[in-house]
């Protein structure tokens, strides 16, 4: 089972918008263990303790709720952990979809997102379904948290993206720290501006208007609170837009930055601009050109 990386928020859609990205993915294999236990073999520095691994938490919850047996999970991490590309979500989503298939549970997508969210809650310290919904469903997703509802839309064909992942160390609790920075009380003007941006983003996706999507990443809530945690963020954003990006924002809880582009023609220039922005702050980065991805799917090849 392969589940894609994802970017959350897309500017104004804090905990609401997500998009699956084809630039990186996690691959997992789930096999019946013949016992009640959940066991894990994982690479990429993620925990093999099933109570601390997002895939293990999901598999454990599904075993307990549906009375299935235990499983052994093998994880090949492809999504860098802790950088705002939905790494914990990719493993959680892959586990939910794989257990559903292995045991023939016949669960619908919203239920799979709910189970994948259990893993994400353990990793982020709070429930947010934006990354897991993107990894399960693919494309662009809109999430309503309570009660859980997921709307998946097909992004415009021409949408290209570039994620710049800084070469900085991130603490294990990065998402918790980054979420803690977002204010709990928001001035009405900021809320109004974000509702306008979010509504325009959805219109951009539905109309295939990548220019409108780029303009609509404008965020008055999370970005101002988090940008100080990303060295060079102002320069990265300005340089990438000058190089042809339609819009630039923080990828999920950061510290990666994502640029939206209309087609591939400016990808090289935008990558260089993002590298230059980080370099001006003394930080190297890896740039990952992406396209929107399909959701978690069965694959024959094992990486
Ligand atoms: N919506 C979440 C946040 C995504 O911004 O904290 C975390 O990947």
């Amino acid at each position: 089972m392969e589940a894609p990386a994802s970017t959350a928020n897309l500017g104004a859609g804090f905990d609401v918008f997500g998009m699956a990205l084809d630039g990186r993915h996690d691959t997992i294999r789930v096999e019946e263990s013949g016992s009640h236990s959940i066991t894990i073999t994982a690479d990429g520095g993620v925990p093999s303790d099933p109570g601390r691994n997002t895939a293990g938490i999901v598999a454990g919850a599904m075993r307990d709720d549906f009375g299935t047996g235990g499983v052994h999970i093998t994880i090949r991490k492809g999504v860098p952990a802790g950088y705002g590309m939905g790494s914990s979500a990719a493993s959680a989503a892959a586990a939910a979809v794989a257990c559903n298939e292995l045991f023939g549970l016949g669960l619908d997508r919203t239920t799979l997102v709910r189970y994948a969210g259990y893993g994400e809650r353990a990793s982020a310290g709070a429930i947010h379904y934006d990354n897991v919904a993107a990894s399960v469903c693919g494309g662009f997703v809109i999430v309503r948290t309570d009660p859980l509802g997921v709307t998946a839309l097909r992004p415009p064909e021409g949408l290209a993206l570039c994620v710049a992942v800084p070469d900085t160390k991130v603490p294990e609790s990065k998402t918790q720290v980054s979420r803690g920075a977002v204010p709990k009380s928001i001035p009405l003007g900021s809320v109004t501006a974000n509702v306008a941006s979010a509504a325009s983003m959805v219109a951009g996706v539905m109309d295939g208007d990548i220019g409108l999507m780029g303009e609509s990443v404008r965020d008055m809530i999370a970005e101002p609170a988090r940008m100080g945690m990303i060295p060079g963020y102002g320069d990265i954003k300005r340089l990438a837009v000058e190089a042809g990006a339609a819009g630039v924002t923080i990828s999920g809880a950061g510290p990666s930055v994502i640029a939206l582009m209309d087609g591939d023609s400016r990808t090289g220039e935008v990558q260089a601009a993002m590298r230059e922005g980080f370099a001006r702050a003394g930080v190297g980065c890896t740039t990952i050109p992406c396209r929107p991805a399909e959701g978690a799917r069965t694959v024959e090849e094992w990486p």
Side-chain angles (χ1 to χ4, degrees):
M1 181 66 54
E2 189 178 280
S6 58
T7 187
N9 305 337
L10 288 121
F14 180 74
D15 283 0
V16 173
F17 292 157
M19 188 151 52
L21 302 174
D22 72 354
R24 294 284 186 275
H25 55 259
D26 282 2
T27 311
I28 81 168
R29 182 187 289 141
V30 178
E31 298 155 298
E32 290 189 65
S33 64
S35 74
H36 192 65
S37 314
I38 309 286
T39 51
I40 297 178
T41 309
D43 66 3
V46 297
S48 55
D49 172 353
R52 292 182 53 235
N53 180 293
T54 59
I57 291 166
V58 172
M62 292 175 83
R63 173 200 59 192
D64 295 347
D65 288 355
F66 299 106
T68 60
V71 290
H72 180 72
I73 307 173
T74 311
I75 305 175
R76 289 269 179 283
K77 289 298 294 178
V79 186
Y83 286 89
M85 292 188 71
S87 177
S88 52
S91 292
V97 178
C99 289
N100 185 46
E101 287 191 5
L102 179 66
F103 295 113
L105 300 175
L107 302 176
D108 62 26
R109 280 196 323 193
T110 304
T111 307
L112 294 173
V113 170
R114 183 185 305 287
Y115 276 96
Y118 291 160
E120 191 70 323
R121 181 172 54 200
S123 155
I127 196 73
H128 65 91
Y129 294 101
D130 40 9
N131 291 107
V132 287
S135 278
V136 169
C137 302
F140 176 88
V141 294
I142 305 166
V143 173
R144 285 151 285 138
T145 301
D146 188 17
L148 178 61
V150 183
T151 303
L153 299 175
R154 183 168 286 279
E157 287 298 325
L159 180 63
L161 306 113
C162 179
V163 184
V165 185
D167 302 338
T168 47
K169 271 207 169 342
V170 285
E172 208 181 311
S173 55
K174 180 235 44 186
T175 303
Q176 276 149 283
V177 173
S178 186
R179 292 181 75 79
V182 178
K184 301 290 174 283
S185 264
I186 313 290
L188 181 59
S190 303
V191 174
T192 309
N194 266 41
V195 171
S197 293
S200 304
M201 175 63 79
V202 174
V205 173
M206 296 188 75
D207 285 352
D209 186 340
I210 296 166
L212 181 59
M213 289 178 69
E215 283 170 32
S216 305
V217 296
R218 187 161 175 271
D219 171 26
M220 302 292 285
I221 297 176
E223 184 189 68
R226 288 173 162 175
M227 58 188 284
M229 298 176 183
I230 303 173
Y233 183 70
D235 275 343
I236 298 161
K237 193 165 171 158
R238 184 176 50 76
L239 291 169
V241 169
E242 284 170 10
V248 178
T249 188
I250 300 168
S251 184
S256 296
V257 180
I258 187 161
L260 282 65
M261 295 169 289
D262 191 348
D264 276 329
S265 63
R266 308 294 295 175
T267 300
E269 288 86 344
V270 170
Q271 281 182 275
M274 295 175 95
R275 279 197 294 270
E276 171 64 17
F278 271 119
R280 287 188 190 179
V283 174
C285 75
T286 303
T287 51
I288 306 174
C290 307
R291 290 279 190 172
E294 300 296 320
R297 63 192 183 101
T298 304
V299 288
E300 298 307 324
E301 329 82 65
W302 182 248

